[in-house]
Amino acid sequence: MAYTIDLDGKVAIVTGAAKGIGKATANLLAKAGAQVVIDDIVSQETVKPVLDEIGLTGKQPFYIQKDISVEENCRELVKDALAQFGRIDILVNNAGVVADWDKSYAIHVKALHFCSEAVKDHMAERGSGRIVNITSTCVLTGGTGIPQYVATKAGAYSLTRYQAKTYAPLGILVNAVMPAVIMSDMIMTRYASEEEMQAHYIPQMPVRRIGYPEDVANVVLFLCSDLSSFVNGEIIVADGGRMYVG
Ligand SMILES: NC(=O)c1ccc[n+]([C@@H]2O[C@H](COP(=O)([O-])OP(=O)(O)OC[C@H]3O[C@@H](n4cnc5c(N)ncnc54)[C@H](O)[C@@H]3O)[C@@H](O)[C@H]2O)c1
């Protein structure tokens, strides 16, 4: 029999899940049987097709519209998810932006930590939980000219280690994924067309392709599953080998 990852009965919050990596992650967690709570800032109208698409998995996602750059909204997101489903097993801190210094810090660092702190006590009561943070290889490479993005994604990196150390005794495992060159609206802000983007990156990619949101979602699923039961404080690079062997 083929091995399956079964998240049936588990509840997962994914921040910034109306598109890109967050959406692919929400979809995959739902496919694995989790009840998914999608957080984003987009309207109900905009998110509806996303909810419908993920609903095809057989698990209808629940949308909570919260701007997590506001500290109180992080706590409200968790409170609303708990009120709706009574438990939270997984938190994926995925929301990200290319923005000014304050907004970048508010989302990549503060929101990541406030959302984690908000789920921590609940997860600790049950003695189990998984948190996956999305950082970026730019933390190690210096990135491509957006200092506030690089510096604040470094916050996500170091908070992963901090949380892994302080939450693990409570039964909560914390890890991160460090993607690069993943097709999304965020990466496309720097290119006029997909062809231009591909022409820029493919020569640097040992795997001779760019990444897609599902490439990252697969790693997140692993980090939310029993397969990673002894993995804590790990930061997994998902960049097709570009950083180390490109
Ligand atoms: N695409 C890449 O190549 C790449 C590389 C490295 C890291 N990342 C990281 O992956 C994550 C996902 O990025 P993506 O490429 O899918 O980008 P994306 O722009 O497609 O998606 C980001 C999502 O976050 C949401 N969001 C923004 N501000 C928010 C807020 N205040 N509250 C709630 N939601 C908010 C957006 O509405 C959007 O749906 C980000 O953390 C990003 O930094 C992406």
Side-chain angles (χ1 to χ4, degrees):
M1 192 181 80
Y3 190 88
T4 49
I5 291 175
D6 184 5
L7 299 181
D8 196 31
K10 301 209 184 283
V11 177
I13 299 178
V14 185
T15 68
K19 60 185 178 180
I21 292 168
K23 177 185 159 191
T25 299
N27 195 38
L28 195 56
L29 293 174
K31 259 190 198 155
Q35 171 62 56
V36 174
V37 175
I38 287 180
D39 156 72
D40 210 294
I41 49 175
V42 302
S43 68
Q44 292 284 349
E45 197 188 350
T46 302
V47 85
K48 185 165 183 314
V50 176
L51 302 183
D52 290 347
E53 188 186 328
I54 296 175
L56 296 175
T57 60
K59 289 278 178 178
Q60 188 60 37
F62 184 72
Y63 183 48
I64 300 181
Q65 186 184 14
K66 293 278 177 208
D67 176 350
I68 55 169
S69 68
V70 177
E71 180 177 345
E72 185 54 28
N73 287 349
C74 299
R75 287 187 281 274
E76 281 181 11
L77 166 64
V78 170
K79 204 169 99 199
D80 291 0
L82 275 174
Q84 188 66 28
F85 298 109
R87 60 186 290 154
I88 299 166
D89 302 271
I90 294 163
L91 169 66
V92 183
N93 285 307
N94 165 78
V97 284
V98 174
D100 63 22
W101 281 90
D102 289 346
K103 190 141 207 151
S104 302
Y105 188 66
I107 295 173
H108 300 153
V109 181
K110 288 164 79 176
L112 180 145
H113 195 56
F114 295 142
C115 289
S116 304
E117 281 288 292
V119 295
K120 181 189 74 176
D121 290 343
H122 163 73
M123 287 179 174
E125 268 171 34
R126 291 188 297 110
S128 76
R130 299 292 178 99
I131 297 176
V132 182
N133 298 325
I134 307 297
T135 175
S136 167
T137 59
C138 72
V139 169
L140 302 180
T141 64
T144 49
I146 315 172
Q148 68 275 24
Y149 184 79
V150 178
T152 55
K153 289 310 241 184
Y157 179 102
S158 52
L159 277 174
T160 300
R161 291 267 154 78
Y162 166 85
Q163 292 173 350
K165 184 175 271 193
T166 54
Y167 297 179
L170 308 171
I172 305 163
L173 301 182
V174 186
N175 294 286
V177 185
M178 192 175 242
V181 194
I182 305 299
M183 175 51 108
S184 73
D185 286 358
M186 183 183 286
I187 204 164
M188 285 309 300
T189 55
R190 284 180 277 148
Y191 299 92
S193 66
E194 189 177 336
E195 291 69 37
E196 191 191 313
M197 185 270 221
Q198 300 242 17
H200 172 80
Y201 280 115
I202 287 177
Q204 308 168 20
M205 305 294 288
V207 294
R208 295 291 178 261
R209 72 169 177 90
I210 61 161
Y212 291 90
E214 293 70 21
D215 290 311
V216 181
N218 287 331
V219 184
V220 178
L221 178 65
F222 163 71
L223 291 172
C224 294
S225 76
D226 290 342
L227 294 177
S228 57
S229 55
F230 204 50
V231 182
N232 187 43
E234 187 54 70
I235 292 155
I236 299 180
V237 175
D239 74 341
R242 175 171 170 252
M243 181 171 61
Y244 290 129
V245 295

